[in-house]
Amino acid sequence: MSSRQEGIDGRVKQVGLEAAAAAGDVLARMFGGPLDIRHKGEVDLVTEADRAAEEAAVRVIRRSFPGHGILAEEGDYGTGDPGCRWILDPLDGTTNFAHGFPWFAVSLAYEEEGEVRFGVVLHPLFKELFRAERGGGAFLNDRPLRVSATSRLDQALLATGFPYDRKKSRANNYDHFVRFQQAAQACRRPGAAALDLACTAAGRFDGYWEMKLKPWDLAAGKLLVEEAGGRVTDFGGDPCRLDGAEVLASNGLLHGAMVDLLRLGERP
Protein backbone atom coordinates (compact mmCIF):
# COMPACT_ATOMS: atom_id res chain seq x y z
CA MET A 1 0.00 0.00 0.00
CA SER A 2 1.39 3.42 -0.97
CA SER A 3 1.99 6.19 1.55
CA ARG A 4 -0.65 8.28 -0.24
CA GLN A 5 -3.25 5.54 0.15
CA GLU A 6 -2.31 5.11 3.81
CA GLY A 7 -2.87 8.85 4.27
CA ILE A 8 -6.38 8.58 2.84
CA ASP A 9 -7.28 5.65 5.05
CA GLY A 10 -5.83 7.09 8.22
CA ARG A 11 -4.35 10.50 8.72
CA VAL A 12 -6.36 12.40 6.10
CA LYS A 13 -9.62 10.95 7.36
CA GLN A 14 -8.80 11.77 10.97
CA VAL A 15 -7.79 15.33 10.13
CA GLY A 16 -10.99 15.78 8.12
CA LEU A 17 -13.12 14.67 11.04
CA GLU A 18 -11.20 16.90 13.44
CA ALA A 19 -11.45 19.92 11.14
CA ALA A 20 -15.21 19.49 10.67
CA ALA A 21 -15.66 19.08 14.42
CA ALA A 22 -13.65 22.24 15.10
CA ALA A 23 -15.83 24.25 12.73
CA GLY A 24 -18.98 22.65 14.14
CA ASP A 25 -18.00 23.60 17.69
CA VAL A 26 -17.70 27.23 16.61
CA LEU A 27 -21.13 27.18 14.97
CA ALA A 28 -22.82 25.51 17.93
CA ARG A 29 -21.31 28.07 20.29
CA MET A 30 -22.30 31.09 18.17
CA PHE A 31 -25.75 29.93 17.10
CA GLY A 32 -28.54 32.08 18.51
CA GLY A 33 -26.22 34.87 19.64
CA PRO A 34 -25.62 38.35 18.21
CA LEU A 35 -23.93 38.30 14.80
CA ASP A 36 -22.19 40.70 12.47
CA ILE A 37 -24.08 40.00 9.25
CA ARG A 38 -22.92 41.31 5.88
CA HIS A 39 -24.13 40.94 2.30
CA LYS A 40 -21.95 39.40 -0.42
CA GLY A 41 -24.82 39.94 -2.86
CA GLU A 42 -28.46 40.97 -2.83
CA VAL A 43 -29.54 37.90 -0.83
CA ASP A 44 -26.19 36.16 -0.15
CA LEU A 45 -25.09 36.61 3.46
CA VAL A 46 -21.84 36.09 5.34
CA THR A 47 -21.51 36.24 9.11
CA GLU A 48 -18.66 36.28 11.60
CA ALA A 49 -19.62 32.66 12.32
CA ASP A 50 -18.78 31.68 8.71
CA ARG A 51 -15.35 33.22 9.04
CA ALA A 52 -14.62 31.89 12.54
CA ALA A 53 -15.69 28.34 11.62
CA GLU A 54 -13.58 28.42 8.47
CA GLU A 55 -10.53 29.63 10.38
CA ALA A 56 -10.97 26.83 12.93
CA ALA A 57 -11.13 24.14 10.24
CA VAL A 58 -8.22 25.57 8.26
CA ARG A 59 -6.02 25.64 11.37
CA VAL A 60 -6.56 21.92 11.88
CA ILE A 61 -5.77 21.13 8.23
CA ARG A 62 -2.73 23.40 8.08
CA ARG A 63 -1.28 21.88 11.26
CA SER A 64 -1.06 18.45 9.64
CA PHE A 65 -0.89 19.27 5.93
CA PRO A 66 0.69 22.71 5.46
CA GLY A 67 1.32 22.10 1.76
CA HIS A 68 -2.16 20.96 0.74
CA GLY A 69 -4.43 23.17 -1.30
CA ILE A 70 -7.58 24.54 0.34
CA LEU A 71 -10.62 25.78 -1.59
CA ALA A 72 -12.97 27.45 0.88
CA GLU A 73 -15.98 29.69 0.52
CA GLU A 74 -14.82 32.67 2.56
CA GLY A 75 -11.02 32.83 2.24
CA ASP A 76 -8.21 32.55 -0.30
CA TYR A 77 -5.56 30.09 0.90
CA GLY A 78 -3.53 29.76 -2.28
CA THR A 79 -3.32 26.75 -4.55
CA GLY A 80 -0.91 24.60 -2.54
CA ASP A 81 -0.32 21.06 -3.81
CA PRO A 82 -2.65 20.73 -6.83
CA GLY A 83 -2.85 16.97 -6.28
CA CYS A 84 -4.14 17.21 -2.69
CA ARG A 85 -6.95 19.67 -2.03
CA TRP A 86 -9.49 20.28 0.73
CA ILE A 87 -12.86 21.74 -0.27
CA LEU A 88 -14.62 23.51 2.60
CA ASP A 89 -17.91 25.24 3.28
CA PRO A 90 -17.67 26.23 6.96
CA LEU A 91 -21.36 27.14 7.19
CA ASP A 92 -23.73 25.79 4.58
CA GLY A 93 -27.06 27.40 5.33
CA THR A 94 -25.87 30.85 6.40
CA THR A 95 -29.29 32.46 5.93
CA ASN A 96 -30.88 29.82 8.16
CA PHE A 97 -28.15 30.34 10.77
CA ALA A 98 -28.52 34.13 10.70
CA HIS A 99 -32.26 33.84 11.33
CA GLY A 100 -31.93 31.30 14.14
CA PHE A 101 -33.34 28.45 12.03
CA PRO A 102 -31.45 25.30 13.14
CA TRP A 103 -30.71 23.75 9.75
CA PHE A 104 -27.11 24.26 8.69
CA ALA A 105 -23.90 22.25 8.39
CA VAL A 106 -20.17 22.10 7.91
CA SER A 107 -19.22 20.51 4.58
CA LEU A 108 -15.63 19.30 4.05
CA ALA A 109 -14.15 17.08 1.35
CA TYR A 110 -10.67 15.84 0.48
CA GLU A 111 -9.80 15.64 -3.21
CA GLU A 112 -6.79 13.80 -4.61
CA GLU A 113 -5.69 14.11 -8.24
CA GLY A 114 -9.09 15.55 -9.13
CA GLU A 115 -11.15 12.84 -7.40
CA VAL A 116 -12.99 13.40 -4.13
CA ARG A 117 -11.86 10.60 -1.84
CA PHE A 118 -13.38 11.53 1.52
CA GLY A 119 -16.24 13.77 2.63
CA VAL A 120 -17.93 14.94 5.81
CA VAL A 121 -21.20 16.80 6.37
CA LEU A 122 -21.73 17.70 10.02
CA HIS A 123 -24.92 19.07 11.55
CA PRO A 124 -23.48 20.32 14.85
CA LEU A 125 -26.76 20.96 16.67
CA PHE A 126 -28.31 17.59 15.86
CA LYS A 127 -24.94 15.84 16.35
CA GLU A 128 -25.33 14.09 13.01
CA LEU A 129 -22.05 13.28 11.28
CA PHE A 130 -22.43 12.09 7.69
CA ARG A 131 -19.20 10.72 6.22
CA ALA A 132 -18.18 8.84 3.12
CA GLU A 133 -14.97 7.36 1.74
CA ARG A 134 -14.52 6.51 -1.93
CA GLY A 135 -15.09 2.78 -2.21
CA GLY A 136 -15.75 2.50 1.54
CA GLY A 137 -19.43 3.37 1.84
CA ALA A 138 -21.38 6.16 3.52
CA PHE A 139 -22.35 6.45 7.18
CA LEU A 140 -24.43 8.53 9.56
CA ASN A 141 -22.47 8.45 12.79
CA ASP A 142 -21.77 4.68 12.86
CA ARG A 143 -24.80 3.53 10.84
CA PRO A 144 -24.35 2.59 7.14
CA LEU A 145 -26.39 4.71 4.75
CA ARG A 146 -28.47 3.56 1.82
CA VAL A 147 -30.61 5.58 -0.55
CA SER A 148 -34.37 5.03 -0.58
CA ALA A 149 -36.21 2.39 -2.60
CA THR A 150 -38.96 4.73 -3.85
CA SER A 151 -39.54 3.99 -7.53
CA ARG A 152 -42.52 6.24 -8.36
CA LEU A 153 -42.19 10.00 -8.66
CA ASP A 154 -45.70 10.57 -7.32
CA GLN A 155 -44.62 8.87 -4.09
CA ALA A 156 -41.32 10.75 -3.78
CA LEU A 157 -40.24 13.43 -1.34
CA LEU A 158 -37.83 15.75 -3.15
CA ALA A 159 -35.63 18.67 -2.13
CA THR A 160 -34.27 21.68 -3.97
CA GLY A 161 -32.97 25.22 -3.56
CA PHE A 162 -33.00 28.49 -5.46
CA PRO A 163 -29.99 30.45 -6.76
CA TYR A 164 -28.88 33.75 -5.31
CA ASP A 165 -29.62 35.54 -8.61
CA ARG A 166 -33.18 34.20 -8.75
CA LYS A 167 -34.73 37.69 -8.80
CA LYS A 168 -32.79 38.69 -11.93
CA SER A 169 -32.17 35.49 -13.92
CA ARG A 170 -34.72 33.47 -15.88
CA ALA A 171 -32.80 30.34 -14.91
CA ASN A 172 -34.10 30.54 -11.33
CA ASN A 173 -35.54 27.03 -10.77
CA TYR A 174 -39.10 28.30 -10.35
CA ASP A 175 -40.31 26.42 -13.43
CA HIS A 176 -38.70 23.16 -12.30
CA PHE A 177 -40.12 23.59 -8.81
CA VAL A 178 -43.67 23.94 -10.07
CA ARG A 179 -43.36 20.85 -12.29
CA PHE A 180 -41.96 18.73 -9.48
CA GLN A 181 -44.58 19.95 -7.03
CA GLN A 182 -47.20 18.70 -9.47
CA ALA A 183 -45.43 15.40 -10.19
CA ALA A 184 -44.04 14.38 -6.78
CA GLN A 185 -45.67 13.64 -3.46
CA ALA A 186 -44.02 16.78 -2.07
CA CYS A 187 -41.01 19.08 -2.45
CA ARG A 188 -39.01 20.79 0.29
CA ARG A 189 -36.63 23.75 0.26
CA PRO A 190 -34.65 23.44 3.53
CA GLY A 191 -31.84 25.85 2.59
CA ALA A 192 -28.58 23.88 2.94
CA ALA A 193 -27.39 21.99 -0.16
CA ALA A 194 -24.90 19.76 1.67
CA LEU A 195 -27.62 18.57 4.05
CA ASP A 196 -30.03 18.04 1.16
CA LEU A 197 -27.48 15.71 -0.43
CA ALA A 198 -26.73 14.00 2.89
CA CYS A 199 -30.44 13.42 3.45
CA THR A 200 -30.74 11.96 -0.05
CA ALA A 201 -27.92 9.57 0.82
CA ALA A 202 -29.76 8.66 4.02
CA GLY A 203 -33.03 7.94 2.20
CA ARG A 204 -34.85 10.83 3.85
CA PHE A 205 -35.21 12.49 0.46
CA ASP A 206 -35.74 10.41 -2.65
CA GLY A 207 -34.18 13.01 -4.94
CA TYR A 208 -32.67 16.48 -5.04
CA TRP A 209 -31.90 19.02 -7.75
CA GLU A 210 -30.39 22.50 -7.76
CA MET A 211 -28.52 24.90 -10.01
CA LYS A 212 -25.63 27.38 -9.73
CA LEU A 213 -23.92 25.74 -6.77
CA LYS A 214 -20.20 25.90 -5.96
CA PRO A 215 -17.70 23.05 -5.40
CA TRP A 216 -17.86 23.49 -1.61
CA ASP A 217 -21.64 22.99 -1.74
CA LEU A 218 -21.32 19.72 -3.66
CA ALA A 219 -18.09 17.89 -3.00
CA ALA A 220 -18.86 16.02 0.23
CA GLY A 221 -22.57 15.51 -0.43
CA LYS A 222 -22.03 14.15 -3.92
CA LEU A 223 -19.70 11.48 -2.55
CA LEU A 224 -22.22 10.62 0.18
CA VAL A 225 -24.98 9.96 -2.36
CA GLU A 226 -22.73 7.90 -4.62
CA GLU A 227 -21.37 5.79 -1.77
CA ALA A 228 -24.92 5.23 -0.47
CA GLY A 229 -25.89 3.69 -3.81
CA GLY A 230 -27.43 6.74 -5.47
CA ARG A 231 -26.75 8.56 -8.70
CA VAL A 232 -25.50 12.13 -9.25
CA THR A 233 -25.53 13.86 -12.67
CA ASP A 234 -26.35 17.18 -14.26
CA PHE A 235 -29.93 17.92 -15.34
CA GLY A 236 -29.45 16.05 -18.63
CA GLY A 237 -28.13 12.88 -17.01
CA ASP A 238 -24.49 13.57 -17.90
CA PRO A 239 -21.66 13.49 -15.33
CA CYS A 240 -21.91 16.15 -12.62
CA ARG A 241 -18.82 18.33 -12.31
CA LEU A 242 -18.05 20.19 -9.11
CA ASP A 243 -17.56 23.37 -11.13
CA GLY A 244 -20.64 22.72 -13.25
CA ALA A 245 -23.92 24.59 -13.18
CA GLU A 246 -26.33 21.79 -12.23
CA VAL A 247 -26.75 18.85 -9.88
CA LEU A 248 -29.37 16.12 -9.86
CA ALA A 249 -29.06 13.47 -7.14
CA SER A 250 -31.44 10.60 -6.62
CA ASN A 251 -31.81 7.03 -5.43
CA GLY A 252 -31.24 6.02 -9.06
CA LEU A 253 -34.72 4.61 -9.50
CA LEU A 254 -36.22 8.07 -10.05
CA HIS A 255 -33.39 9.51 -12.06
CA GLY A 256 -34.83 9.06 -15.54
CA ALA A 257 -38.18 10.57 -14.58
CA MET A 258 -36.47 13.54 -12.96
CA VAL A 259 -34.25 14.12 -15.99
CA ASP A 260 -37.33 14.12 -18.22
CA LEU A 261 -38.94 16.92 -16.20
CA LEU A 262 -35.76 18.96 -15.88
CA ARG A 263 -35.28 18.95 -19.65
CA LEU A 264 -38.52 20.92 -19.98
CA GLY A 265 -37.31 24.00 -18.11
CA GLU A 266 -34.67 26.72 -18.15
CA ARG A 267 -31.07 25.61 -17.62
CA PRO A 268 -28.19 27.86 -16.54
Side-chain angles (χ1 to χ4, degrees), residues 10 25 28 43 48 51 63 84 115 123 140 158 170 173-174 179 183-184 206 211-212 215 228 235-236 242 245 268:
D25 287 345
V43 296
E48 58 193 307
R51 294 186 289 270
R63 189 165 60 235
C84 300
E115 179 183 61
H123 191 312
L140 170 52
L158 307 178
R170 288 184 59 188
N173 197 30
Y174 295 168
R179 289 189 180 94
D206 303 299
M211 59 174 62
K212 303 179 184 179
F235 287 0
L242 296 185

Side-chain angles (χ1 to χ4, degrees), residues 193-231:
L195 282 174
D196 291 340
L197 286 161
C199 287
T200 302
R204 297 171 179 175
F205 292 135
D206 303 299
Y208 160 75
W209 83 96
E210 195 163 346
M211 59 174 62
K212 303 179 184 179
L213 295 177
K214 301 295 185 182
W216 46 77
D217 299 311
L218 286 175
K222 178 177 181 289
L223 182 62
L224 279 163
V225 174
E226 291 169 344
E227 287 298 317
R231 186 178 176 194

Side-chain angles (χ1 to χ4, degrees), residues 5-268:
Q5 184 63 47
E6 288 173 357
I8 293 169
D9 289 342
R11 193 172 170 217
V12 164
K13 184 161 62 172
Q14 186 60 38
V15 168
L17 293 171
E18 290 176 1
D25 287 345
V26 171
L27 299 181
R29 185 173 67 251
M30 297 184 73
F31 180 69
L35 291 171
D36 175 23
I37 302 173
R38 301 180 184 180
H39 284 259
K40 295 190 289 185
E42 185 177 4
V43 296
D44 191 4
L45 305 180
V46 62
T47 74
E48 58 193 307
D50 295 75
R51 294 186 289 270
E54 183 168 294
E55 290 169 2
V58 169
R59 277 196 300 271
V60 173
I61 296 169
R62 282 283 187 251
R63 189 165 60 235
S64 294
F65 301 110
H68 282 193
I70 298 177
L71 175 65
E73 181 171 12
E74 306 305 336
D76 183 359
Y77 301 95
T79 56
D81 180 353
C84 300
R85 184 172 72 159
W86 298 84
I87 305 173
L88 169 65
D89 189 343
L91 174 48
D92 184 33
T94 298
T95 300
N96 289 347
F97 188 95
H99 286 269
F101 183 63
W103 191 250
F104 54 87
V106 179
S107 178
L108 178 63
Y110 173 71
E111 180 187 71
E112 191 171 272
E113 304 296 346
E115 179 183 61
V116 175
R117 304 294 302 276
F118 180 69
V120 178
V121 174
L122 171 66
H123 191 312
L125 296 188
F126 291 0
K127 300 188 185 304
E128 289 193 325
L129 175 69
F130 300 86
R131 58 184 172 85
E133 186 173 355
R134 179 72 62 186
F139 299 84
L140 170 52
N141 297 331
D142 292 324
R143 178 172 62 84
L145 291 183
R146 190 71 188 171
V147 293
S148 75
T150 302
S151 59
R152 289 177 44 179
L153 194 55
D154 63 353
Q155 296 178 354
L157 178 62
L158 307 178
T160 192
F162 299 96
Y164 287 120
D165 65 353
R166 63 185 179 273
K167 296 182 180 182
K168 298 178 180 179
S169 172
R170 288 184 59 188
N172 54 24
N173 197 30
Y174 295 168
D175 51 350
H176 299 307
F177 185 72
V178 171
R179 289 189 180 94
F180 278 117
Q181 281 284 28
Q182 293 298 102
Q185 187 174 75
C187 296
R188 299 289 181 258
R189 200 282 195 200
L195 282 174
D196 291 340
L197 286 161
C199 287
T200 302
R204 297 171 179 175
F205 292 135
D206 303 299
Y208 160 75
W209 83 96
E210 195 163 346
M211 59 174 62
K212 303 179 184 179
L213 295 177
K214 301 295 185 182
W216 46 77
D217 299 311
L218 286 175
K222 178 177 181 289
L223 182 62
L224 279 163
V225 174
E226 291 169 344
E227 287 298 317
R231 186 178 176 194
V232 186
T233 69
D234 67 9
F235 287 0
D238 295 319
C240 172
R241 293 174 41 181
L242 296 185
D243 59 354
E246 307 165 342
V247 59
L248 166 61
S250 81
N251 61 9
L253 300 173
L254 298 172
H255 216 81
M258 294 185 72
V259 166
D260 288 343
L261 281 184
L262 288 168
R263 283 175 172 158
L264 299 176
E266 292 281 350
R267 296 178 65 175

